[in-house]
Amino acid sequence: MSRAPRRSVLFWGRVIMRLAFLNARIRTMDERRPHADSLLIAGPRIECVGPAPQIIPMADKMIDMQGRAILPGFIDAHVHVVWTGMALDAVDLVGVRRIADIVERLRQAARLAPKGDWIFAEGYDRSVMEQYAAPTRGDLDRASTEHPILVRARGGHCSVGNTEAISLIQPSSEAADGVLDGEDNRKALTVAGQRLDDGRRLEAVRRCMDFALSKGVTTVHAMQRVAGQGDPFPARLSDTRFRGRIVVYPTTTDVDWAVRNGFQRIGGCLLIDGGIEAHTAALFGGYADRPERNGRLYFSNEALIHFIKTANEAGLQTAVHAIGDRAIAQVLDAHATIFGQRSCGERRHRIEHFLLPRRQDVERAAALGIAVCAQPAFEWFWGGRKGWFARFFGEERMMCSTPLRSMVAAGVLVGGGSDSYVTPIDPILGVWACVQHPNEKERLTSTHALRLFTVDAARLACMEDEVGTISPGKQADLVVLSDDPCDCPPEKLAAINIEQTWVAGEPVWQRQQ
């Protein structure tokens, strides 16, 4: 292929080249031009999308993609970046089925750690344990009494500590067996997290972002807890340069703090209710396995209305965690009180998870203009008649979980997230979970599933003018795949490889051959 005349441009005072990607299967996610075979970028921006004869004369350098697929860089719209990074370096309990094996893995970690260092373990999932067993304080003491140990359940809403950890956490309940849920679980994470300085936390975020890039994710929405007014870390997270993009949702109700620190968003994973495995997600009616329990609401109606109203008047987008139908209804009631029958409009206030809504609340969310960040992978891990949800919700309610197609049909803006560390950052897995939803009536096509992790995830953060599609003028955030997810059968989605990840026109990750 002959070299075209140089048409260099200036970017921040330096000369850059126009780079052409040719012989590609480009799925732009832009409805105005959904497909192309060639793409031109100039520095950090996309300059032109079109056929090769149009692109080649403008290019300084050309890359033959040999038929690989190019999509907009994926967006994971719900990530706990610090704890994801910590989990990548923690004791891995995913898939462990025996208490003895948990103890042995912790014992090995304790042998390598300096005395007094915290030992974190992630991924314990009672639903896969033999006889539905759960580790206790005594089990963890067998691993070590010289290190505080915190084992966090897969869903994140309960944890188990050994005697040393419990003495440091000082939970409000007796926690005789070491199990911590609700406020005590949040306190445990705060106490453990405070032992990490900002340097270790930023190191954890870098691990998280490097892993995200390996999965084709170029932007994450970071749900970052704020530990009081003097906590500088959320602002550092916004200001620190990473290879991928981080959009911070500070988890606080302090609107004045958010405005003073220059944030445009607030709430993040602000808990309106709890989690399923702790029986604290707020339900209308009891849990199938614990009929006497129906979860918890952590806000009064008045406090929730005050928070959303104050944030909205300050020009902030809100995001709140609501899993159970009772919590979802409380959030929608608050919005209806504030906005009446009007939509909240371009502010796009969010509900995270929206796992078990009533049908009428799907329609209400659409009417109120409430956006939803869903976690399709929850259905892959725990949905269906044999999954975790059936145990906790019962079969009838289980069939209503994560109603993707119903939300889309009603007109709800739905973006996709992993809730990582809870499920891994992996948009291809998320797409597979959308098209293979346990409830066939709630399945999405591959094309719409991809929207959840590209253009619609960008819209969730009001960033569609910058990222989410391959369109002229937008950031050159790209993912190169071995195959187009829309052109292969669902059973072959898992075989698709991430080949390259580009951020702002720079290659930041490449698969080793």
Side-chain angles (χ1 to χ4, degrees):
M1 186 175 289
S2 61
R3 184 177 179 82
R6 292 184 62 85
R7 296 175 180 270
S8 302
V9 295
L10 286 175
F11 174 71
W12 287 85
R14 64 185 176 92
V15 176
I16 61 173
M17 292 191 300
R18 288 186 171 95
L19 179 62
F21 299 84
L22 306 176
N23 189 23
R25 287 180 290 163
I26 301 173
R27 189 168 290 274
T28 67
M29 306 310 297
D30 184 341
E31 294 177 350
R32 294 167 299 183
R33 182 194 285 272
H35 306 283
D37 63 12
S38 301
L39 163 68
L40 185 75
I41 66 174
R45 298 280 177 177
I46 297 166
E47 185 163 312
C48 187
V49 182
Q54 177 185 0
I55 298 295
I56 290 172
M58 297 188 288
D60 297 310
K61 182 179 179 181
M62 290 167 279
I63 302 176
D64 184 350
M65 300 307 296
Q66 300 179 339
R68 294 184 181 90
I70 301 179
L71 278 73
F74 293 135
I75 300 169
D76 190 320
H78 190 115
V79 177
H80 299 272
V81 289
V82 173
W83 284 107
T84 295
M86 294 301 297
L88 290 168
D89 200 39
V91 178
D92 183 8
L93 300 180
V94 173
V96 175
R97 295 174 51 83
R98 299 171 62 245
I99 297 294
D101 294 335
I102 290 177
V103 172
E104 182 56 31
R105 292 194 185 192
L106 294 170
R107 184 179 289 133
Q108 291 176 11
R111 290 193 189 109
L112 300 174
K115 182 179 178 180
D117 273 14
W118 278 80
I119 295 174
F120 300 108
E122 298 282 353
Y124 149 66
D125 187 346
R126 190 172 181 179
S127 69
V128 305
M129 296 291 290
E130 290 181 353
Q131 299 180 336
Y132 201 57
T136 65
R137 178 203 295 225
D139 294 323
L140 305 192
D141 283 345
R142 285 161 45 206
S144 176
T145 57
E146 296 183 339
H147 303 80
I149 299 175
L150 191 67
V151 174
R152 192 152 54 159
R154 187 74 183 265
H157 289 269
C158 65
S159 53
V160 183
N162 69 346
T163 298
E164 181 67 15
I166 297 298
S167 69
L168 294 171
I169 295 164
Q170 297 184 351
S172 58
S173 60
E174 184 178 355
D177 57 0
V179 175
L180 305 159
D181 62 14
E183 187 58 42
D184 286 336
N185 182 58
R186 295 203 296 276
K187 185 178 181 182
L189 301 181
T190 298
V191 170
Q194 286 172 343
R195 299 300 176 103
L196 306 174
D197 60 26
D198 279 3
R200 283 193 66 187
R201 287 195 281 180
L202 287 172
E203 181 185 338
V205 175
R206 287 191 178 91
R207 280 198 299 271
C208 169
M209 295 305 294
D210 286 346
F211 181 80
L213 293 172
S214 75
K215 296 296 182 178
V217 173
T218 54
T219 300
V220 302
H221 297 178
M223 309 290 132
Q224 181 58 45
R225 185 171 181 178
V226 179
Q229 287 192 348
D231 184 4
F233 187 74
R236 287 198 66 187
L237 191 56
S238 293
D239 296 338
T240 302
R241 186 176 181 86
F242 298 95
R243 293 197 299 163
R245 303 182 192 280
I246 296 182
V247 181
V248 179
Y249 281 79
T251 301
T252 180
T253 58
D254 191 337
V255 171
D256 289 340
W257 175 91
V259 172
R260 284 198 311 273
N261 284 275
F263 288 101
Q264 301 174 17
R265 308 163 182 89
I266 192 171
C269 205
L270 186 71
L271 298 184
I272 305 304
D273 64 347
I276 301 162
E277 77 284 3
H279 296 91
T280 50
L283 306 181
F284 289 113
Y287 281 81
D289 64 328
R290 296 285 298 275
E292 76 281 5
R293 298 189 65 172
N294 67 346
R296 301 178 188 174
L297 292 173
Y298 295 127
F299 280 75
S300 68
N301 293 335
E302 294 75 18
L304 183 58
I305 290 168
H306 176 75
F307 164 63
I308 295 173
K309 185 173 187 292
T310 304
N312 184 74
E313 290 174 348
L316 301 180
Q317 180 194 33
T318 64
V320 298
H321 158 121
I323 285 181
D325 49 10
R326 188 156 59 101
I328 291 167
Q330 185 191 31
V331 178
L332 295 175
D333 288 345
H335 281 279
T337 299
I338 297 165
F339 298 104
Q341 300 305 310
R342 298 179 292 112
S343 167
C344 66
E346 289 305 303
R347 195 81 75 216
R348 299 177 193 165
H349 296 305
R350 293 170 51 160
I351 296 179
E352 309 300 300
H353 311 311
F354 206 78
L355 184 76
L356 200 68
R358 300 176 298 177
R359 184 167 297 277
Q360 64 263 38
D361 285 336
V362 172
E363 300 291 338
R364 279 212 297 164
L368 288 165
I370 303 301
V372 168
C373 181
Q375 284 68 49
F378 283 7
E379 296 298 324
W380 187 87
F381 284 103
W382 302 301
R385 288 183 171 84
K386 296 181 180 180
W388 203 21
F389 293 168
R391 175 190 289 272
F392 287 97
F393 298 148
E395 186 167 324
E396 182 178 351
R397 283 188 300 187
M398 171 270 294
M399 294 297 288
C400 300
S401 63
T402 320
L404 296 171
R405 190 170 180 179
S406 294
M407 287 190 282
V408 170
V412 177
L413 170 60
V414 185
S418 62
D419 198 16
S420 177
Y421 58 93
V422 177
T423 70
I425 296 173
D426 190 346
I428 294 296
L429 171 63
V431 170
W432 187 92
C434 289
V435 302
Q436 293 289 89
H437 195 294
N439 182 350
E440 293 185 12
K441 295 180 180 179
E442 297 298 346
R443 291 177 178 173
L444 298 179
T445 65
S446 296
T447 300
H448 204 108
L450 283 169
R451 288 185 61 93
L452 268 62
F453 295 95
T454 53
V455 59
D456 288 342
R459 293 174 65 203
L460 276 187
C462 304
M463 292 180 65
E464 64 270 28
D465 290 341
E466 285 292 307
V467 294
T469 65
I470 297 177
S471 308
K474 291 195 179 182
Q475 294 284 342
D477 292 359
L478 310 169
V479 57
V480 179
L481 305 178
S482 59
D483 201 355
D484 184 344
C486 299
D487 286 343
C488 68
E491 63 271 15
K492 293 187 177 181
L493 280 171
I496 292 177
N497 291 319
I498 310 296
E499 301 287 347
Q500 298 173 10
T501 306
W502 293 63
V503 175
E506 297 286 343
V508 292
W509 186 87
Q510 182 160 331
R511 185 168 74 94
Q512 298 300 312
Q513 300 297 327

